[in-house]
Amino acid sequence: MKIYADRFPTAARQLLTDLLVVAWVYVAIRGALWLHDLVQKLAVPGQKLEGAGSGLADNLADAGGKVGRVPLVGDELTAPFQRAADAARSLADAGRDQQHLVDQLALALAVAVLIFPLGVVLLGWLPLRIRWMRRASSAARLAAVPAGRDLLALRALATQPLGRLTRIAPDVAEAWRRGDDRTVDALAALELRQLGLRGGDR
């Protein structure tokens, strides 16, 4: 794993990780939307029931109104039509309730599907990304001043693998202690590359 990290620059790894996170979030959102649309199809029977109930209630009410105009017995003949229209309206209300329930279920399932992938991003990747940005920003400011490069060189001596340090100089610690400019610059550049930044030359 360390050999792979040496051959794959930090900046490239960071970019690849960012792209993977974007793809992860995109797939999660697309999946949640797909599930939402799939569940929404369960509302079709409710829509048909609402339409049929409303249409039947309107027709029965219209028929009752016409029958009500019949002399003497009109009022008595209207009552059954009114009851039937009320029953049809109840069917329409049941259809609307079913659609509302399906809407709530579709939203709840979509949110449930998004909780885990977005939680991984917000609680796992994002804090690490922010910490890296802060470290990189601090290192870039240190690299701009001579004393800062000395600190970066010291950090490299303390944290970098021995193989990398010995490639700079056989006795790199002694060279740093003498204040050798090339060694200090090389150590500072090594630390900057570890953060995905270019070392540059002083």
Side-chain angles (χ1 to χ4, degrees), residues 42-51 53-54 86-102:
L42 298 175
V44 173
Q47 295 170 358
K48 294 181 178 179
L49 184 61
E50 180 186 3
S54 297
D86 291 340
R89 292 190 185 95
S90 297
L91 288 177
D93 291 339
R96 279 191 291 270
D97 291 341
Q98 192 261 354
Q99 293 175 68
H100 180 65
L101 180 62
V102 169

Side-chain angles (χ1 to χ4, degrees), residues 135 152-162 164-165 191 194:
R135 289 177 58 196
L152 290 173
L154 178 59
R155 180 174 175 81
L157 281 174
T159 61
Q160 294 295 325
L162 293 177
R164 292 182 182 178
L165 296 176
E191 184 65 19
Q194 182 70 20

Side-chain angles (χ1 to χ4, degrees), residues 72-83:
L72 300 178
V73 295
D75 292 341
E76 295 179 3
L77 294 176
T78 300
F81 285 95
Q82 186 61 44
R83 287 193 295 271

Side-chain angles (χ1 to χ4, degrees), residues 2 41 44 47 61 86 98 109 119 148 163 181 183:
K2 288 183 179 180
K41 293 180 180 179
V44 173
Q47 295 170 358
D86 291 340
Q98 192 261 354
L109 290 176
D181 288 341
T183 301

Side-chain angles (χ1 to χ4, degrees), residues 91-178:
L91 288 177
D93 291 339
R96 279 191 291 270
D97 291 341
Q98 192 261 354
Q99 293 175 68
H100 180 65
L101 180 62
V102 169
D103 287 342
Q104 290 182 324
L105 177 62
L107 180 61
L109 290 176
V111 171
V113 167
L114 282 175
I115 286 177
F116 175 73
L118 294 185
V120 170
V121 171
L122 295 177
L123 300 179
W125 171 82
L126 187 58
L128 294 176
R129 191 69 168 90
I130 292 175
R131 185 174 67 178
W132 174 84
M133 291 173 64
R134 289 176 177 172
R135 289 177 58 196
S137 177
S138 298
R141 288 195 299 269
L142 286 174
V145 295
R149 295 183 70 83
D150 289 337
L151 289 175
L152 290 173
L154 178 59
R155 180 174 175 81
L157 281 174
T159 61
Q160 294 295 325
L162 293 177
R164 292 182 182 178
L165 296 176
T166 54
R167 284 198 293 268
I168 295 175
D171 193 355
V172 64
E174 177 61 26
W176 172 80
R177 198 177 296 116
R178 292 197 314 268

